[in-house]
Amino acid sequence: DRGGFDHYMLKEIHDQPIAVAKTIENRCDIEKGQINLRKMTLFNTKLKEINRIQIIACGTSYYAGCLSRYFIEKFTGIPVDVELASESRYRTPTVNVHTLSIAVSQSGETIDTLQAIKFAKANKAQTVAMVNVPGTSIGHECDDECMLYAGPEVGVASTKAFSAQLSALILLGLTIAQEQEKLPKEKIAEYINELVKVPSFIEKVLTLSSKIKEIAKKYCDVNSILFIGRGYQWPIALEGALKLKELSYIHAEGYAAGELKHGPIALIDENMTVVCLAPKDQYYEKTISNIEEIRARGGKILSVGTEGDTELKNISNDFIGIPECSEIVLPFLTTVPMHLFAYWIAVHKGTDVDQPRNLAKSVTVE
Ligand code: M6R
């Protein structure tokens, strides 16, 4: 049931507030300002004993892992490695009883993620499955299951699962910080208070859909688009680029903004479009100077920034403004325009949005 939307993907983008709410609601005890450990269902893992975290995933799930790393490391002080499952399988990552290996997979059936988590388990790591479907192979393999409650995702392009994964990974980071007493109680309470606001903030960004539809019209005939961001906006740039290529077959690449001058800036001329993620966060000034460099070379700039930021708007060809919010809410909000932009470009181009060519929803072959 597409719920009145033209495509499953559009419905699933609009399902994001509820996907996040369901994934976090019972797990956040707002009154006590604590994570409800029992609801995280981590019954077998010994969170107090962990000194290393490994996140294993593919595609969009991998980007959710890359993003969450910024938060988990900040909350816990524990080193986090994010591994592409298809690569991790062919290395010999060092894991032991003090490693928490988290397999992040919407379907719970991705073969590479399954094999990589099997390796971690065989080498004594504590394993957690973060999956969106009950009764999966990955869920079966792991010591514990920390479910996502995004609801069934039908569109091949993963959207609401990404937001649910991000919220669950942030919660898991807070849980470890709580168990290991790495953050003061008040700080945990503060983060929880912010996290529960995410669904209503996403609702606000969803109202930008028709504006993004208009902007997308201008970019459907380009040959290539770069996406840039700094800090935790970088994995969102990667996610934006993946969505665009997958849905519209336009070449796209995500880059850490600071890497531009180490190569990709050579690509910039008046034919290049760059999607710039530059909300008002700790990286803002630096990202703005990257945008200036692109502008000086004639590149077209589509920026996603904080509402009312005239400085950014004035140096951009197009500007999408998201509401001002705290650092923990921010990545959820800059993701939504990435999904909507790719969606509307695909619709304008007339590609098969819910079932792009050459792709399968669940990749169960190597
Ligand atoms: O089911 P999984 O989360 O393990 O799937 C991983 C990737 O195959 C998946 O995220 C893929 O990259 C999506 N089509 C991206 O939109």
Side-chain angles (χ1 to χ4, degrees):
D1 174 18
R2 294 199 300 261
F5 290 95
D6 287 346
H7 298 99
Y8 280 107
M9 182 183 176
L10 190 59
K11 173 187 182 286
E12 288 160 6
I13 291 174
H14 282 81
D15 280 346
Q16 293 192 78
I18 181 97
V20 172
K22 288 208 159 148
T23 301
I24 64 174
E25 65 192 359
N26 295 322
R27 292 164 170 166
C28 293
D29 188 330
I30 304 172
E31 256 163 47
K32 289 195 187 142
Q34 288 174 359
I35 307 290
N36 185 338
L37 187 59
R38 212 168 41 84
K39 298 282 184 192
M40 294 298 291
T41 60
L42 302 171
F43 300 124
N44 300 309
T45 36
K46 299 181 188 75
L47 298 183
K48 285 200 170 77
E49 294 172 17
I50 286 156
N51 62 15
R52 191 173 159 231
I53 296 170
Q54 185 194 39
I55 300 175
I56 300 167
C58 302
T60 285
S61 302
Y62 169 73
Y63 297 142
C66 293
L67 218 174
S68 71
R69 169 193 201 165
Y70 290 84
F71 291 101
I72 302 175
E73 286 184 340
K74 182 170 166 177
F75 298 158
T76 64
I78 298 175
V80 179
D81 291 314
V82 191
E83 309 261 6
L84 279 173
S86 56
E87 287 300 318
S88 162
R89 285 183 62 183
Y90 302 106
R91 288 177 32 233
T92 40
T94 329
V95 297
N96 59 37
V97 285
H98 299 295
T99 308
L100 183 69
S101 294
I102 311 163
V104 182
S105 171
Q106 188 287 130
S107 62
E109 298 297 345
T110 301
I111 190 79
D112 285 323
T113 309
L114 177 64
Q115 297 300 347
I117 201 73
K118 276 188 180 169
F119 176 90
K121 195 176 175 190
N123 286 277
K124 309 265 184 329
Q126 305 186 42
T127 52
V128 172
M130 198 170 265
V131 295
N132 191 39
V133 181
T136 61
S137 310
I138 292 174
H140 179 76
E141 194 59 40
C142 292
D143 301 320
D144 277 323
E145 238 180 331
C146 177
M147 290 299 292
L148 305 165
Y149 297 105
E153 193 180 61
V154 178
V156 164
S158 186
T159 52
K160 62 179 178 175
F162 178 83
S163 300
Q165 287 162 347
L166 184 56
S167 62
L169 285 163
I170 289 177
L171 273 186
L172 182 54
L174 285 174
T175 310
I176 297 167
Q178 180 175 293
E179 287 307 287
Q180 297 199 356
E181 296 179 19
K182 292 281 181 64
L183 280 177
K185 288 200 168 84
E186 314 75 67
K187 200 69 202 164
I188 293 182
E190 207 179 286
Y191 282 130
I192 289 175
N193 258 313
E194 287 305 316
L195 206 52
V196 295
K197 293 181 194 159
V198 166
S200 61
F201 268 107
I202 298 180
E203 293 285 1
K204 291 187 195 163
V205 182
L206 289 170
T207 64
L208 298 172
S209 185
S210 48
K211 180 180 176 183
I212 296 172
K213 179 180 179 182
E214 285 313 302
I215 293 177
K217 246 186 216 157
K218 303 191 206 169
Y219 296 94
C220 20
D221 296 322
V222 303
N223 290 325
S224 176
I225 300 190
L226 280 184
F227 288 71
I228 62 162
R230 249 174 217 271
Y232 50 71
Q233 299 298 332
W234 170 35
I236 301 174
L238 297 169
E239 166 66 359
L242 174 62
K243 282 292 162 311
L244 188 71
K245 39 192 154 190
E246 164 172 57
L247 290 164
S248 69
Y249 319 142
I250 293 174
H251 171 256
E253 262 188 271
Y255 255 100
E259 274 290 299
L260 269 187
K261 56 172 73 65
H262 298 287
I265 200 162
L267 292 168
I268 309 286
D269 62 14
E270 53 288 348
N271 298 317
M272 180 58 87
T273 297
V274 188
V275 173
C276 305
L277 295 164
K280 289 229 162 138
D281 57 13
Q282 54 178 313
Y283 315 103
Y284 177 75
E285 300 297 336
K286 291 235 156 77
T287 311
I288 291 289
S289 44
N290 294 126
I291 299 176
E292 299 277 15
E293 288 159 7
I294 297 164
R295 190 175 143 84
R297 287 159 183 81
K300 304 272 175 307
I301 294 154
L302 163 55
S303 61
V304 178
T306 306
E307 250 166 25
D309 181 354
T310 44
E311 183 188 357
L312 176 60
K313 197 172 174 184
N314 290 341
I315 55 169
S316 307
N317 298 77
D318 287 290
F319 171 78
I320 300 168
I322 54 149
E324 216 169 301
C325 60
S326 67
E327 140 196 90
I328 208 167
V329 178
L330 198 45
F332 293 91
L333 304 196
T334 47
T335 298
V336 175
M338 297 297 97
H339 290 168
L340 285 169
F341 180 66
Y343 172 77
W344 286 119
I345 293 224
V347 170
H348 293 317
K349 292 194 77 164
T351 57
D352 188 343
V353 173
D354 285 330
Q355 181 49 74
R357 67 186 184 198
N358 310 340
L359 291 173
K361 180 67 185 157
S362 176
V363 184
T364 52
V365 288
E366 295 179 35

